[in-house]
Every structure is written in C-alpha cells, then in structure tokens.
Amino acid sequence: MVKTSYMRLKGSQHLRQRLLLSTLAATPILIDEIRPDDTWPGLRPHEISLLRLLEKISDDCVVEINETGTKLKYKPGVLMGGRYHVHDCGLSRSIGYFLEPLIVLGLFGKKPLSIRLKGITNDSKDPSVDTFRSTTLNILKRFGVPSEGLELKIESRGAPPQGGGEVILNVPMIPSSLAAVTWIDEGMVKRIRGVTFSTRVSSQFENTMIHAARGIFNRLLPDVHIFTDHKSGEQAGKSPGFGISLVAETTSGCFISTDTAVCYARGEDADDDDEKKELMPPEDIGEQAASVLLGEIEQGGVVDSTHQGLLFLLCALCPQDVSKVRVGKLSPYAIETLRHIRDFLGVKFVIKPDPTTETVILKCVGCGLKNLSRKLS
Amino acid sequence: SKWKESLIERTISRQNTNLMQLVYGNSALKSTTSIGEGQGSSEDEESEDDEFFKPKGESEKKSSEGLENGNVSAEDCSKLTYRVDLKNWKDEELIEGIRDRFVTGNWSK
C-alpha cells in the first residue's frame, strides 16, 4: 500500500477552507497545534461537527483526531452527495458556518445533494440562512450552476443559544465544471430587498427594524421592500431572537448583502471572552444593518465583503480559462482564502487596484477542476 | 493634524500598489505552510523530540515570523464581526457621496 503524504498545516485558523480545499484537491492534510495553549485545547464542537458532516457526504474519507484534539488527520474521500441526509450542526456555530463549505462541496458530488441541517439559523457571527437564499445562491448561478435544484428551504428558525431551527439545502451537481466569469461591472443599485425575522418575541420588533432601515434608505431609493417573517410555536425554535437580512440588487445583477441578529449570548461558549452585551433595541439593529449595507455599496465590487472568499474560490475552481472579478477592499478572510487557494490548487491571482473607483480587480486562470465523482453513463 | 495627512495618503497608496505582496508575501519569503510541506515525516519525528523541551515563547516567535502573524487561532468567520468603519449614514454629505451608485443618481456620468 502506498503511504499517503500529508500536507502539513498548523493552527486552528481557517479550518473550513482547509478541509474544503483539501477535499476538492484530494490532498490529505495533517493539522497540528490546534489551540494547544487554550484552557480547552483542541477542536471545538462545531469543528468536530463539520468533520462528521464531511464524513456523511463523502465516501472513504478518514478523519483521525488525537486524544486532546490538538492534532487532526484528514484524508478526503469521494464526494457522494445524495438525498435524505440529516445533520445536527450543534449550537456552537450557526448553520451558516456549515453552509459555506457545503454549497461548494455539493457541486462536485456524485449525485445532487439534499440535506436537512438542524441548529441555529440566524446569529450575528455567520451569514444567516436568509442571506444564503437571497445572495449566496445567486452568486453560484453566475458560475454556471444550474438554478434548478439549487435552493434552501427554511423549515423553522432557531436563534442562539438553544437553536431549534431546521433548513433543507438542495445543491445540484455541476455537469462537468464551472464556467469562468468576467464580472467587473457592479452596476447601480436598483432595489433593496430584505427580510426580518422574530422568534419568541413580539412581531412588532420587526416593524420597528424595518421602519428604522427604511428611514435611511428612503433618501436614496424608493424601491425598498423588506418582508417580515414572524415565527411562532414549533417553527420559532427554542430561543427568543430577532434580526434582519438586507440585499441590494444592482442593474448588472449583483447582490450585495448584510445581515445581523440579536439574541442572548451562548452561555457555555468557552472562547467567548468579551463581555456580555446588552441586547440592542430593534430600532438600532435596523439602522445598523442599513448602514452596513450602504457601507458595502460604497466599497464597490460585485459581491460584499462576506462573499469575497467564495467568489475567489469559485474563480479558482473554474476550467482553465481567465476569470476577472472586481471587489471592494479585500477582507482578511478573503486574503486568507487567496493564500489557501494558492497552496492547495496552485492558482495565483493577479491582484490590481483600480485607483479611480478604489476597488480591486483580480484575475486568475482556473485550476480546471472537473466533477470527477460524477457518475459517467 | 495637517502634517499627518500626506503621510496617511502615501501609506494608502503604497498599500494599494503592494496588494500582490500583501496577499502572497515576498516570493523569497516562504509561507509557513510551504515550510511545513517540505518537512519529511521521518525528519519531523526527530524534530518533535527537540521541540519537546522548547521554551514556550520561542515556538511562538517562530510561527509569527510568517505572514499569518498573530492570527494562528483566529476565529473562522467570513463575516467581518466588528465594524470600525461604520459611518453615520444619516449625514447628508455621505448620502450624496454614494448617490451615484444608485439608479436614482446622476446618469450622465
């Protein structure tokens, strides 16, 4: 038997990107020094959960973790996809944390992926499920992902700390590869859409948020519609919470989004060392979300700062063709994504600032990843 | 103060020109991951013994030499969790500044 050679990495940072790229590039990885000096050393519950999720959707993948959890060996298998998967995402991170790698992995499966995810649907740390519906899935479509079978259904919502939300994600597999894009025209914002949610609090909170957000947008654009989604009973999950997700659509078909949520902090969160904040009133949340969105629009670029990493990843996974995209200021997460793309896929972007608009233009030649797991008939 | 303004401008322009370097680092400088890759497994076992009794600060220094200094245990978030650049968008001037990014803006440009 051939001894597998592992790519050696250190530290707990960017575990999702590493696992994702390791799986796509079929490169086994060995990560050590995962939080060795913490009071609770090793992998966090959500990271373990992510590994379990990878095991679920792929065949023949090997995960080894040492006793303290500070060392991880991951040998990727063949992505299988398939239907009727159920995964409990736990309560330490929201479903968005899992969706981000999952939507990319699903594209390269043997069969279309359909999975039910349980946990927290909206929190302030990760993109909410509403943002995935409004923005992330649309970005995928740009790269030639068929829109048929690409959807995210929100069955019930769950706010931290108790969660209780459920979503169903459907991702089609791509026929053979993605399509390279030239996407540098961000266009002008033609409308703003959004959705608020409230679970186990008064639905009036939503109207207050919408009122506050509209107050800021109305001076710029009349076409603002923010919908409400008040959940009650079973569908409201187990914890009180409320929040808002906003998306600006441009004339050239770009989606710029932001979201936030307010809820009680997770009690037993080990690495939550900052002080527990007072809950923000809905009015401030509405205003803040609107301000963040305007900030994103001001930055320019065809995606918002949250989606930069995904955008670069998709560009790098394209066939050997030139992709060209424009983004605003590079986010730290996106920079780290670029580095990991270089390490795993060998794709290096040409990054040029565009001083007139204060944006950044990135160009790359895709690595030509094909959907090899796909069943050939 | 006024004398700082030109300095800030210059720093910003320099940052822009060195974006490639900012992201990928100097080509001469190996990133931490590529160093890790180069190590053979047998060699690693030996060095593990050496590192067993290393003072804590020393190994930390080594890891921070690379590009990813300081954020070895940074949280895995695509969303910017804190916003320092949150502006007061009720300000008329700011609104006018981005009006042209909307269809309601001046189209003649």
Side-chain angles (χ1 to χ4, degrees):
Chain A
M1 199 179 149
V2 188
K3 198 169 171 269
T4 41
S5 61
Y6 288 90
M7 185 171 184
R8 279 159 184 277
L9 301 163
K10 275 190 170 64
S12 64
Q13 80 277 30
H14 306 285
L15 185 75
R16 282 185 301 170
Q17 286 175 6
R18 288 170 168 184
L19 291 175
L20 171 61
L21 283 161
S22 156
T23 312
L24 292 176
T27 313
I29 50 171
L30 197 159
I31 306 173
D32 56 11
E33 289 179 32
I34 300 171
R35 304 191 187 89
D37 302 325
D38 277 24
T39 323
W40 304 100
L43 292 163
R44 294 279 175 266
H46 54 267
E47 291 164 345
I48 304 277
S49 181
L50 180 64
L51 287 165
R52 296 283 166 263
L53 178 59
L54 286 171
E55 283 179 330
K56 246 172 231 174
I57 59 162
S58 60
D59 215 3
D60 200 25
C61 98
V62 182
V63 177
E64 275 175 55
I65 305 164
N66 74 348
E67 263 176 62
T68 49
T70 53
K71 207 165 181 175
L72 164 72
K73 224 187 224 183
Y74 174 69
K75 189 166 157 269
V78 181
L79 286 166
M80 296 303 283
R83 288 188 287 175
Y84 311 119
H85 290 293
V86 180
H87 184 73
D88 189 349
C89 296
L91 300 170
S92 55
R93 285 295 281 269
S94 76
I95 290 173
Y97 173 88
F98 298 87
L99 283 176
E100 282 183 292
L102 198 56
I103 48 167
V104 182
L105 288 173
L107 300 175
F108 294 92
K110 190 170 183 174
K111 286 180 190 155
L113 176 71
S114 174
I115 186 165
R116 178 184 288 269
L117 299 164
K118 295 178 183 178
I120 293 161
T121 53
N122 300 70
D123 76 349
S124 52
K125 232 183 225 174
D126 292 298
S128 74
V129 288
D130 302 295
T131 303
F132 271 92
R133 279 166 60 101
S134 69
T135 308
T136 317
L137 299 184
N138 284 315
I139 292 173
L140 288 181
K141 286 177 197 165
R142 272 270 173 172
F143 287 85
V145 176
S147 57
E148 208 173 313
L150 181 68
E151 63 169 347
L152 181 68
K153 235 186 271 169
I154 302 168
E155 299 265 291
S156 62
R157 289 186 185 270
Q162 292 298 316
E166 264 186 53
V167 300
I168 298 172
L169 173 75
N170 290 311
V171 185
M173 55 175 194
I174 49 165
S176 70
S177 59
L178 297 165
V181 292
T182 303
W183 195 11
I184 49 169
D185 179 21
E186 63 244 40
M188 284 173 283
V189 177
K190 60 175 179 183
R191 57 174 168 238
I192 291 172
R193 292 287 178 269
V195 61
T196 60
F197 82 95
S198 58
T199 59
R200 305 201 172 274
V201 294
S202 159
S203 62
Q204 195 53 41
F205 280 40
E206 297 187 57
N207 297 329
T208 316
M209 279 189 284
I210 292 169
H211 186 80
R214 288 194 68 109
I216 290 182
F217 290 139
N218 271 351
R219 309 226 319 265
L220 286 159
L221 196 70
D223 194 358
V224 180
H225 283 283
I226 303 169
F227 301 93
T228 58
D229 186 18
H230 177 71
K231 297 280 191 206
S232 58
E234 282 283 286
Q235 284 194 308
K238 295 168 186 158
S239 297
F242 58 91
I244 185 167
S245 164
L246 295 169
V247 55
E249 293 177 44
T250 71
T251 47
S252 61
C254 303
F255 294 84
I256 312 288
S257 69
T258 181
D259 62 62
T260 189
V262 176
C263 47
Y264 290 100
R266 300 176 175 90
E268 57 275 11
D269 207 346
D271 50 359
D272 189 15
D273 45 4
D274 45 348
E275 286 171 42
K276 276 187 190 158
K277 287 180 284 181
E278 287 270 303
L279 294 191
M280 251 202 196
E283 198 175 351
D284 292 3
I285 284 295
E287 256 175 36
Q288 188 197 326
S291 303
V292 171
L293 186 68
L294 289 183
E296 293 280 2
I297 293 167
E298 188 194 27
Q299 281 220 346
V302 294
V303 296
D304 52 74
S305 58
T306 307
H307 288 96
Q308 284 176 5
L310 176 70
L311 178 70
F312 301 152
L313 186 63
L314 291 171
C315 286
L317 294 174
C318 278
Q320 292 184 329
D321 209 343
V322 179
S323 284
K324 193 173 171 189
V325 292
R326 182 200 296 275
V327 295
K329 200 174 135 204
L330 288 173
S331 73
Y333 184 81
I335 291 174
E336 208 52 57
T337 309
L338 289 172
R339 288 177 191 156
H340 279 108
I341 287 172
R342 176 200 55 189
D343 292 344
F344 279 94
L345 303 173
V347 174
K348 209 168 167 182
F349 284 74
V350 176
I351 308 162
K352 271 193 199 132
D354 183 359
T356 50
T357 54
E358 286 180 26
T359 52
V360 185
I361 291 186
L362 291 100
K363 273 187 281 190
C364 81
V365 176
C367 72
L369 189 76
K370 289 233 163 68
N371 188 355
L372 291 174
S373 340
R374 183 176 58 114
K375 206 172 173 184
L376 295 167
S377 54
Chain B
S1 55
K2 220 169 198 179
W3 63 274
K4 273 185 187 165
E5 280 170 19
S6 68
L7 281 177
I8 291 166
E9 257 170 47
R10 211 192 305 163
T11 322
I12 289 168
S13 68
R14 198 178 293 161
Q15 270 172 356
N16 279 345
T17 49
N18 288 344
L19 268 179
M20 283 287 277
Q21 236 179 56
L22 184 83
V23 174
Y24 293 122
N26 289 324
S27 50
L29 222 155
K30 271 190 190 172
S31 79
T32 44
T33 41
S34 56
I35 293 168
E37 246 180 301
Q39 282 177 341
S41 58
S42 59
E43 189 191 323
D44 189 55
E45 267 163 42
E46 283 168 23
S47 65
E48 232 166 71
D49 282 343
D50 293 337
E51 275 182 31
F52 200 82
F53 291 117
K54 232 172 208 175
K56 210 172 136 188
E58 208 167 307
S59 62
E60 267 173 21
K61 214 192 284 169
K62 208 171 87 185
S63 64
S64 66
E65 265 173 35
L67 294 157
E68 298 99 314
N69 42 348
N71 62 355
V72 176
S73 297
E75 193 150 33
D76 195 354
C77 275
S78 64
K79 216 159 120 175
L80 296 169
T81 39
Y82 57 93
R83 304 238 172 204
V84 277
D85 54 344
L86 202 59
K87 295 169 186 163
N88 177 20
W89 285 101
K90 284 176 178 166
D91 185 32
E92 202 62 48
E93 256 178 61
L94 274 174
I95 292 277
E96 288 310 312
I98 61 160
R99 190 170 287 281
D100 290 345
R101 305 295 316 277
F102 289 78
V103 285
T104 47
N106 184 3
W107 285 42
S108 59
K109 273 190 223 172

